[in-house]
Each structure stands twice: as structure tokens, then as C-alpha cells.
Amino acid sequence: MTDLLVGGRRITLDPRALLGIGGEASVYRSDELALKVFHGATQIGGSGGRSAGIAAIEARELALKERKITAFPNGLPHSVVAPIDALRTLDGRFVGYSMRRIDDARPLGELLSGRGRERALLCRVLAGLAESLEALHRRDVRVGDLNDYNVLASPSDLAHYLIDVDSYQFAGLPCTVAHERFLAPELYGVDLGRAPRFEPEHDWYAFAVLLFIAVFGVHPFGGVHPKLNTLLKRATARASIFDPAVRIPRGVPRFEILGDRALDWLRRIFEDGTRERPPREALRLEWSVCSRCGTEHARMRCPNCLGPTALVHASDATQPRQYAADSSRDGWATTAATFSDGRIVAAQWSRSLRYLIVRGERLYDESAHLWLEGFDPARTEVRLAGDKLALLRRDQLLILDREGLRGRHRVASFEGQPQIGAAGGAFYFVSDDSLDCDQEPYRVAPVLGGQTWFAVGERLGIVYYQTATLAFFFTFEPGRPGLRPLTLPARPGRQRLAAHFDGGDSALLEILRTEAGREWLELYYIRGGVVRASRRVPRLGDHGIPPLQSKILRGDHVVCASDEGIVTLRVDGDRGTIERETIISGSDVHVDAATTLLTAPGGAIGAVHSTRIVRLDLA
């Protein structure tokens, strides 16, 4: 534990109060406050001497942070989580700052991804964000590094919060970093730390990217271009998804679901290079569902059939339609089930196909058994494990079978993601102080909630544990207690992780790290508790490996879902390499980046979409 001074008051920083770790700082809970402590600026976690992490924050950068915190303007919108007091060591060195703690809010990036994305809710949140941006610009403040993870949103009351404000540009002090996916192309390659570079129009560019993703579920430079193979190249050339040469992911709705003025504004931003604030029509979108064809849109009349509409509220933006099922054949693809009145929220395929669908506010399984009434998929996650299901809302986990409630548990999160997995008919989850299983043996290992991520397959589990200065990987065997060390590079910081298993003792671990505004994808192929192959590439490079999208291990091949269809990777354990291999011809009809892939019997693959499941026989 470390003693620090905040506002002249002495406090003790408890490592167990760690709320999260970002690329440059750790955030701790202290009564009603949150404390942001920059990596390496002070000794935390019991390591001797100054942390090696001080190399990541040069003395001039830390000095700039101190100048910003002490000069931060007053009277900004309540949504801006502004510094309250500087945080110092007992001898007076600046190490961070205090701010109000935000509870019950999630990073906007989590709400923008996944099948539960609600356009009406997200657009309401973004309308509020636009008001905050206008207020900041009136005070001559620029966000600069506006991205989907420094905006928090509360689904319950549609409130939004702007965090990481120490990077803001104001009073001649520059914003020195920005995320590539949200940075206006004219600032690529510019030294952001040399002088203030950001203008209000650059914040509006990042806002336009957020709005585009909220409405269409894809980046404005997503899809596949025949010649320009990276997002950065396409953004520079203004070859957006509006370009006729771009192959649009199958799950993206037609652009005309937006009104003309809002759509024209997005076209000007991404096609013409215009930089301007959004028109009022882009901020006051009223979402409706066509009662004739079910299209969700923000126009007076349905763009598909000109049918009548019903107003959609932010809490029920996706309305299911009438039920149908078939087993039609399309070459090597068989439609296992389709639903026109329901949305698939969970699926598994072991000996037989199991799935859960939502119709209205009712949760059914594949046999039409009603599990729950009053189910809200926007606020409740659901998982399957054998004949059981788990309902997760915030940190409360309920495990049910057809007889009723089997257990109630509290679940901790890592980087905003509740830590729960399923294997062998059992649920695994991280509580406050351990990794647990809902059936014997109940406790796998002691860990700390909030600092632990894990994933589990049938015969192998992977655990990542971090403190402010240290990070470790472990493996475990499902059904048995205890952890075994796993040797691979581990660094604390802002990162997202995913793991994919083959049903045996092999796994592919993905880590997406953010370093100085640039995202790096790291792949590790693990077999027998040892890393056999690895690769590190920039997320936006031309390597063609889809990051953090659904994948399946099949021997020394990895089958990946992407907007190009099914992409395969080849793992060479002898050489230690992971390379992109091929694209399965014709698979883009059935698979895109939002598809969840399942291993199906007979070597087949299940492709799960929001309203259908397709069996693909690739052998």
C-alpha cells in the first residue's frame, strides 16, 4: 500500500481498490472519488524502487499532465469528469489526480458492438455527447482523442460521461495522442505533441465515426475494397463504405434508413473531406419500425416498402417479427433455423444445436420452452451451458435449469466485461476474490475481481491477472482446482483479450493493446500449456487478420469470421509462425464480421446471426 496526498489530505492507496488499468494510468476507488495514477510515477503494488513503466511516460509528458490538471478550466458540462485535485507523493511529486467516480456506466465501445446494439438508445446518447462537444468548443477546449472508450454511457438513463480529460487540448496545451480509427486523415503522421493541432472540426470527424458505427454497425471505412486493403489507406483516399467499389458486409442495413440530411452530412465527411458540425436532423433521429416489412429506420416512411411505421423507444429499439423455420439447401450451406419474429441471443452446438431467442420480452429455447418473461436483452446477458442457462445483469448472475433457480452469484468485470464462461455443462465466473465454478469443485483458484480476465474451453482455461505494475498469464484444467503459470509477454495496460479453443489442450489467444493511440494485435497459439507460435501486427495493417472476431481452431488452422467471409490462418508450431492462408470462396454470403462461429458435428461449422443459424460443410 502507498500513502499519497490529495487536496492536502493523506490517503492510503489500496491495490485491492483498483478499478481499471489504461495505457498510461491506473484508476483506484477512494470513497466517492476515483484516483488516476500515471504508470511509473509512483511506486504501487510493492515493487522495489521506481517502476520500469516510467519509461512510457517521459518527464516532459508528466509535466504537461501536471500543467493541464492545475490549469483545467472550470464551468464545463457536468458530463465532463474533470480533475478535482492533484495527487502527489508525500514529498510533493505529481503522480495523478482525483475525480468523481462514475458507477453504472459502460464504455461506449461496448454498447456499439454485439447483437444487442440499440440504435435509438445510442443515438440519444450521441445527441447528448454533441451538446457536450459544443459546450467544450465554446470554451476553446478540444477533446482531440475522442474515441469509443473515453466516453462512458449509462443505458438506464441515457447519460454520458467524458473521461481521460487530461489529454484535452486547451490554453495552448496540446493533445498529444489520438486513436487512429477516429483521427481525421489530415492529421495522420502529424506530430501532435509539438503544438496544438486539433480544431473543433476534428472532434466532429470523430463524432461522425461514432454516429456511423451506432447506426450501421460498421466503421465508415469498413467493408472490403479491391485495391486499398487497410483502413488508413482508404481514409486517406476517401474510399469510404459509400464507394461503389467497396463490398459492404452483409449485415449492414441500407444507408437510406437515415434521413437525407443526416446521410448527406456523413457522405460529405467521409467522401468529400468536409469538416463541419452535424445538422440538427442528425442529432434528433426518431427511430421507427415498419409494420409491414419490419425495417428499422429514421425516416417519415419506410425506405424499403413505404409502409406505415410504429415509433421505437430507446429501450426497445429492435422489434422481432413473425416466426418461420426451414431447412433450405444452398450448396455447401444448410439453413438450420431462421426466425422472423425473434432474435437469437445465445447458441451452442455440441451433440445437438441449442439456442435461445427473444420474442417481445419472452425468452424461448429451440424447443419453444418459455424460460423467462419480461426479458430485456439490452440490459441482460444470457449464456448456455448444457441444459442450464445463465442470466447476467450488471454484477448479478442467476443460473437456471428447467426446474428453476440453481444459484445466485456476484460476478466481477474486467475492462467493463463481466467475467463468465461455460464449458462441460458448467459455468465459470470470477467473483470478488476467486475464480469459481457452479458445480464441484466450486473454487478453481483465488484471484482478485476487477483485475482478472479468463476464458475457458472443454479441456483448457486461460487466466490473465494484472496489478498496476505487473501482469501474469496462467492456464487451468476445467473441473480441477489450481493454476499453472503460462510464459508469454504480459504487460498491464488497456487491452482487450479473447481466446478460442479446439476442444483439446490447444487455444489461440488474442490481445488487442493500445499504445500511444495505436492498436496492436498479438496472437499466441498455445498447446500443452506452452506458446508454440505467435505474431504481433498493427490492427490497421495489411496483414488481413481479423481482430477479436469469432474464430474456431481446427488442428493447425484457424477459421475466422470477417467481412470477406471465412478467412483461414495457418499455424506452424515448428517455425512459430501464424500466417493468413486463404479466403473460402462464396463464404461471404453466409459469414461476416458480426457472425459467431460454432464447431458443429461432422467437422462442420455453425454460423450464427441475429435471426438465423447456418451449417457450413467445409470438408
Side-chain angles (χ1 to χ4, degrees):
M1 295 188 183
T2 302
D3 286 348
L4 297 172
L5 296 174
V6 56
R9 179 170 59 93
R10 185 166 179 163
I11 62 168
T12 298
L13 201 61
D14 187 345
R16 294 172 296 181
L18 183 68
L19 293 174
I21 300 178
E24 63 175 11
S26 301
V27 179
Y28 295 82
R29 180 180 60 253
S30 179
D31 296 327
E32 298 303 312
L33 298 177
L35 307 178
K36 184 169 184 176
V37 182
F38 294 107
H39 295 325
T42 186
Q43 175 185 330
I44 300 172
S47 60
R50 288 169 64 83
S51 165
I54 193 63
I57 304 177
E58 300 175 1
R60 63 180 179 83
E61 187 70 18
L62 196 60
L64 175 62
K65 298 287 188 187
E66 183 176 13
R67 291 174 63 193
K68 285 188 173 183
I69 297 312
T70 55
F72 203 82
N74 296 318
L76 297 184
H78 180 73
S79 58
V80 177
V81 184
I84 298 176
D85 288 300
L87 190 63
R88 301 184 182 277
T89 60
L90 298 184
D91 61 3
R93 285 186 296 107
F94 172 78
V95 295
Y97 60 92
S98 66
M99 54 190 168
R100 75 181 192 271
R101 197 176 84 228
I102 304 298
D103 298 318
D104 300 327
R106 297 165 58 192
L108 185 59
E110 294 179 12
L111 301 178
L112 288 170
S113 62
R115 296 195 190 98
R117 194 180 84 256
E118 292 189 58
R119 291 188 183 95
L121 183 151
L122 289 168
C123 289
R124 293 272 297 276
V125 170
L126 290 175
L129 174 61
E131 294 180 2
S132 295
L133 291 178
E134 289 182 326
L136 288 169
H137 294 163
R138 286 195 295 268
R139 294 292 308 277
D140 203 26
V141 177
R142 316 285 185 259
V143 175
D145 186 24
L146 179 62
N147 65 74
D148 54 348
Y149 275 81
N150 60 19
V151 178
L152 304 180
S154 172
S156 60
D157 59 8
L158 305 181
H160 71 280
Y161 306 94
L162 289 144
I163 60 172
D164 294 341
V165 300
D166 51 89
S167 67
Y168 283 15
Q169 175 183 296
F170 60 90
L173 302 173
C175 171
T176 63
V177 65
H179 281 60
E180 293 173 316
R181 291 187 301 131
F182 298 90
L183 180 65
E186 59 267 26
L187 294 179
Y188 290 172
V190 174
D191 184 352
L192 300 178
R194 178 162 294 186
R197 305 289 190 185
F198 288 93
E199 298 297 336
E201 52 262 34
H202 298 131
D203 282 348
W204 290 123
Y205 175 90
F207 178 87
V209 175
L210 291 171
L211 181 64
F212 196 97
I213 297 173
V215 172
F216 298 110
V218 66
H219 192 279
F221 294 99
V224 180
H225 192 281
K227 295 181 180 179
L228 304 172
N229 59 356
T230 72
L231 185 150
L232 300 183
K233 292 178 182 177
R234 287 179 52 194
T236 301
R238 301 178 189 167
S240 76
I241 200 168
F242 296 122
D243 189 326
V246 173
R247 189 170 73 219
I248 299 174
R250 187 187 42 74
V252 175
R254 58 184 300 178
F255 300 132
E256 289 76 16
I257 65 171
L258 269 185
D260 289 338
R261 291 204 64 188
L263 189 58
D264 288 346
W265 176 68
L266 291 173
R267 289 184 183 274
R268 291 196 302 273
I269 295 290
F270 302 120
E271 283 195 309
D272 302 336
T274 301
R275 301 289 178 259
E276 60 187 14
R277 68 176 303 280
R280 183 177 63 177
E281 290 82 356
L283 303 177
R284 298 183 179 179
L285 299 172
E286 292 288 348
W287 289 95
S288 304
V289 169
C290 176
S291 60
R292 179 182 300 166
C293 72
T295 298
E296 184 183 5
H297 63 89
R299 288 179 173 266
M300 292 297 295
R301 306 291 289 182
C302 175
N304 278 339
C305 68
L306 301 181
T309 63
L311 184 65
V312 178
H313 299 287
S315 61
D316 57 1
T318 302
Q319 296 289 341
R321 301 185 292 281
Q322 200 164 22
Y323 174 79
D326 65 48
S327 58
S328 61
R329 188 78 184 171
D330 178 19
W332 48 281
T334 304
T335 301
T338 63
F339 307 94
S340 58
D341 78 330
R343 184 153 56 95
I344 300 168
V345 292
Q348 69 177 24
W349 206 333
S350 51
R351 290 184 296 272
S352 61
L353 175 62
R354 290 204 63 209
Y355 51 83
L356 297 170
I357 61 172
V358 177
R359 298 179 194 151
E361 295 184 345
R362 294 184 173 186
L363 183 66
Y364 295 90
D365 65 15
E366 73 286 348
S367 67
H369 173 73
L370 176 62
W371 282 87
L372 190 68
E373 296 192 65
F375 178 75
D376 183 354
R379 292 166 176 82
T380 306
E381 294 185 42
V382 60
R383 309 286 176 88
L384 282 168
D387 296 327
K388 298 179 295 186
L389 66 82
L391 299 173
L392 181 64
R393 184 164 188 178
R394 295 182 179 172
D395 62 351
Q396 296 300 308
L397 172 66
L398 301 179
I399 298 176
L400 302 88
D401 61 17
R402 292 201 176 197
E403 302 300 319
L405 183 66
R406 287 279 301 273
R408 184 190 299 267
H409 309 274
R410 186 179 183 278
V411 176
S413 293
F414 179 86
E415 298 289 344
Q417 293 293 325
Q419 292 304 293
I420 178 174
F427 286 108
Y428 293 79
F429 54 92
V430 174
S431 62
D432 289 333
D433 58 4
S434 61
L435 172 60
D436 297 328
C437 177
D438 78 317
Q439 61 190 37
E440 294 186 14
Y442 296 106
R443 174 164 291 192
V444 178
V447 298
L448 281 180
Q451 298 172 229
T452 304
W453 169 93
F454 86 99
V456 61
E458 295 301 311
R459 293 176 52 193
L460 177 67
I462 299 175
V463 174
Y464 171 74
Y465 172 77
Q466 67 178 16
T467 68
T469 56
L470 300 171
F472 308 92
F473 280 98
F474 303 91
T475 63
F476 68 94
E477 184 177 344
R480 293 188 177 184
L483 301 178
R484 298 183 295 273
L486 174 63
T487 303
L488 57 79
R491 298 185 295 275
R494 177 172 294 175
Q495 53 200 318
R496 285 179 282 167
L497 302 97
H500 317 277
F501 301 90
D502 69 348
D505 66 348
S506 297
L508 181 74
L509 174 66
E510 293 185 87
I511 306 174
L512 189 64
R513 302 185 193 272
T514 301
E515 299 174 1
R518 194 177 192 190
E519 292 180 305
W520 293 87
L521 176 64
E522 298 177 6
L523 302 175
Y524 299 95
Y525 176 71
I526 301 162
R527 187 176 69 242
V530 177
V531 175
R532 307 289 183 176
S534 63
R535 187 165 183 191
R536 174 179 163 93
V537 293
R539 174 179 181 170
L540 302 183
D542 59 2
H543 46 80
I545 301 175
L548 298 186
Q549 291 162 11
S550 186
K551 296 177 175 65
I552 290 177
L553 281 186
R554 303 180 72 179
D556 56 0
H557 291 81
V558 184
V559 179
C560 314
S562 81
D563 286 334
E564 298 175 277
I566 292 179
V567 172
T568 63
L569 312 180
R570 178 65 182 266
V571 178
D572 189 328
D574 295 329
R575 298 172 56 196
T577 59
I578 302 174
E579 301 289 343
R580 174 169 163 140
E581 188 175 41
T582 189
I583 301 173
I584 304 297
S585 177
S587 61
D588 58 327
V589 176
H590 306 286
V591 172
D592 60 27
T595 304
T596 298
L597 301 181
L598 303 175
T599 299
I605 288 176
V608 182
H609 304 268
S610 60
T611 59
R612 75 186 190 284
I613 301 174
V614 180
R615 176 186 170 115
L616 305 175
D617 294 295
L618 302 183

